[in-house]
Amino acid sequence: MTDRTPLVSLGDLTWDVLAKPDTMLLPGGDSTGRIELSGGGSAANLAVWAARCGFPARFTGKIGLDRFGELATAELHAERVGTDLLLSREHPTGVILGLIDRRGQRAMLTGQGADWELLPEELPLDTLRGAAHLHLTAWSLFRDPPRAAALLAARVAKEAGATLSLDPGSFQMIQQMGRESFLRVLQDVPFDVFFPNDDEARAMSGHADRHAAMDWFRAHYPQALIVMKLDEDGVLIEGPGQARVQVPATQDRAIDATGAGDSFGGAFLAGWLTHGDAVRAAGLAVQVGGWVVSRFGARPPADADLHERLRRHGVTVAR
């Protein structure tokens, strides 16, 4: 197939409600703060950031036939992200509440909406067979549905020649599901890239030390590139043909960590799928991730600073 879609991201498209209180929330109390409403979802965010980095991306998933779904879809299209969407009358569009503390760290409460109800028979098989790369998040694997659909999507895309990546999504959900159960779900999927953060690497490997965790990943997934996100310590990378290397983070001050991993992943895939250099791709990705955490929300409006960061890494995007 000659006209393959460079990147397809499958999973969650939600409506995000982000709140950063000015003071500590107390039972029965009131406080002021900042609230942001926007489209979200890890898989959708990654597609947006790949597109913002000049890389064609498509999203596929399930949303409710409601106003939140309409708004979230319109935002994707405004970002030049193509879509294959299943519309549900039985389930609403998922909503995520994100509470941001003073250090910019976030705690997320995920409402289980239509994105959790994707079924294998609903998959857009032509899109999957035409994907050059398929990205999944573990939010599509923590329960069934949508697990069976996600695993089938990976199999269909891989058999058609695609590469695969996975963001493990949530250390807390891995712990709740059980480490061994989570690893059994992954054991038959030949992922080419993993994007664990520090906490997820510990949850999957059972090792607190990041280098020991990397050793575990390399032993268990020897054919995969491991891209371990370490917040202010940057990113640790190792894979077939790629020696272990740590790429430093930026000096951006963290305001809100929401979407940092998704923006990093989208930028990384945009670079790596273009030129195949993991270290160079990580250099772009830490700049994008640093820009995101220094602003509020997962998809802040692009500004001159972002465009300059992209330009320095060889990315020119139409404004």
Side-chain angles (χ1 to χ4, degrees), residues 20-33:
K20 188 172 187 178
D22 292 328
T23 60
M24 183 179 296
L25 296 178
L26 299 175
D30 294 283
S31 180
T32 59

Side-chain angles (χ1 to χ4, degrees), residues 193-243:
V193 186
F194 283 91
F195 289 109
N197 65 22
D198 219 351
D199 291 329
E200 293 151 5
R202 284 195 292 270
M204 289 181 66
S205 70
H207 294 288
D209 178 80
R210 59 188 51 161
H211 286 281
M214 179 64 84
D215 291 340
W216 179 91
F217 272 96
R218 295 296 300 123
H220 285 74
Y221 306 105
Q223 300 307 312
L225 175 67
I226 311 302
V227 184
M228 192 182 298
K229 300 167 289 186
L230 306 174
D231 295 328
E232 66 272 10
D233 291 329
V235 56
L236 190 64
I237 305 170
E238 187 176 356
Q242 172 60 61

